[in-house]
Amino acid sequence: MLSKKRTIEAIDLMKELYPNARGELNYDTPFQYLIAVILSAQATDISVNKATPLLFEAYPTAEKLAQASLEDVMMRIKTIGLYKTKAKNIIKASQMLVETFNGEVPKTKKELESLPGVGRKTANVVAGDLFNVPSIAVDTHVERVSKRLRICKQSATVTEVEDTLMKKIPEERWVDTHHTMILFGRYQCTARNPKCEGCLLLDLCAEGQKNINIKKTNKE
Ligand code: SF4
């Protein structure tokens, strides 16, 4: 397992590659960011960014979306995976925002998790990005990169990955680390064919060294 010190070295190297890592979802208001993050579960940011202009044109606020018809919302987001469930969830979440939170996005993870369609990961992303609440949201990229680098155990659950990252990384770096690891996983340490040759982290990475040795052996 990678020590605390080596984990921070790994994050620093990722940061060299992606010094200005940020979320890639488009939005104008906290409400729109919450909705975009809910829609992005198991879908690409690109697919969400394509659909949200049509959605927010008709429903820019919680008050408007709370009164929307399900059919119309489904039509506007139908290019996003799981759109039927997500359409129901964003209407219900908007109704709850209006009824319970005065139409505003709540600031705590607990309150956020009380909204339909908002799990731990979405709550972490929204609380971290909108309100600077220290959080590390573990998505597929963060989990894969953490496991390949042996920052956490291969058998770790998503919650265990999050706990391990929180133990090994200083709190003030959590939000930024989440974004940096996502870009690193999306473009360098990809799910299929990670770009191990020439990777800045190769010296720290047992998985990368194994991949390179396998390639060498196959060539011989
Ligand atoms: Fe990922 Fe390969 Fe780099 Fe390791 S060496 S972090 S597996 S791209």
Side-chain angles (χ1 to χ4, degrees), residues 148-149 184 188-189 194-196 199 201-202 205 207-208 211:
R148 281 192 178 150
L149 280 163
F184 184 75
Q188 174 83 25
C189 192
K195 301 180 178 106
C196 301
C199 177
L201 282 82
L202 186 56
C205 182
E207 178 96 9
N211 290 344

Side-chain angles (χ1 to χ4, degrees), residues 138-168:
V138 176
D139 76 344
T140 179
H141 301 296
V142 175
E143 180 177 0
R144 184 177 65 254
V145 170
S146 300
K147 289 186 176 175
R148 281 192 178 150
L149 280 163
R150 312 287 189 261
I151 292 172
C152 62
K153 287 187 208 153
Q154 299 305 296
S155 59
T157 61
V158 170
T159 310
E160 286 166 348
V161 175
E162 184 184 327
D163 289 342
T164 306
L165 289 170
M166 289 194 299
K167 275 184 203 142
K168 293 189 171 180

Side-chain angles (χ1 to χ4, degrees), residues 7-220:
T7 299
I8 293 168
E9 273 174 44
I11 305 294
D12 286 342
L13 288 168
M14 287 181 218
K15 185 95 185 121
E16 276 183 33
L17 285 172
Y18 304 102
N20 302 310
R22 283 167 190 269
E24 294 181 329
L25 292 169
N26 298 333
Y27 66 101
D28 287 329
T29 64
F31 165 72
Q32 292 181 4
Y33 188 57
L34 169 68
I35 298 301
V37 179
I38 294 175
L39 294 177
S40 73
Q42 296 176 57
T44 64
D45 289 357
I46 293 171
S47 72
V48 174
N49 286 338
K50 274 190 190 153
T52 45
L54 195 62
L55 179 70
F56 296 146
E57 184 187 18
Y59 310 111
T61 62
E63 288 77 7
K64 296 262 187 209
L65 190 53
Q67 293 175 18
S69 84
L70 180 60
E71 288 69 29
D72 188 61
V73 173
M74 285 200 294
M75 183 274 292
R76 288 170 193 272
I77 64 167
K78 65 176 183 247
T79 51
I80 304 174
L82 306 174
Y83 73 95
K84 289 181 187 168
T85 305
K86 288 176 182 176
K88 281 183 206 154
N89 280 338
I90 61 176
I91 293 172
K92 279 191 198 153
S94 299
Q95 288 166 349
M96 194 166 165
L97 286 179
V98 172
E99 285 160 16
T100 313
F101 299 107
N102 211 18
E104 303 287 327
V105 178
K107 291 189 169 57
T108 69
K109 292 186 210 175
K110 196 172 167 201
E111 287 169 320
L112 283 162
E113 279 191 71
S114 71
L115 296 167
V118 178
R120 187 181 178 94
K121 182 177 67 135
T122 300
N124 275 339
V125 172
V126 172
D129 286 343
L130 291 182
F131 307 120
N132 282 322
V133 176
S135 330
I136 296 191
V138 176
D139 76 344
T140 179
H141 301 296
V142 175
E143 180 177 0
R144 184 177 65 254
V145 170
S146 300
K147 289 186 176 175
R148 281 192 178 150
L149 280 163
R150 312 287 189 261
I151 292 172
C152 62
K153 287 187 208 153
Q154 299 305 296
S155 59
T157 61
V158 170
T159 310
E160 286 166 348
V161 175
E162 184 184 327
D163 289 342
T164 306
L165 289 170
M166 289 194 299
K167 275 184 203 142
K168 293 189 171 180
I169 299 166
E171 190 177 292
E172 65 276 13
R173 295 188 63 175
W174 290 353
V175 174
D176 188 56
T177 294
H178 155 78
H179 289 300
T180 306
M181 287 180 94
I182 286 178
L183 292 195
F184 184 75
R186 193 174 282 162
Y187 301 114
Q188 174 83 25
C189 192
T190 45
R192 287 185 202 166
N193 301 321
K195 301 180 178 106
C196 301
E197 276 175 59
C199 177
L200 277 184
L201 282 82
L202 186 56
D203 284 348
L204 291 165
C205 182
E207 178 96 9
Q209 287 162 22
K210 196 171 84 188
N211 290 344
I212 295 225
N213 285 336
I214 291 171
K215 271 193 187 168
K216 268 188 201 158
T217 314
N218 289 342
K219 272 185 196 164
E220 284 164 10

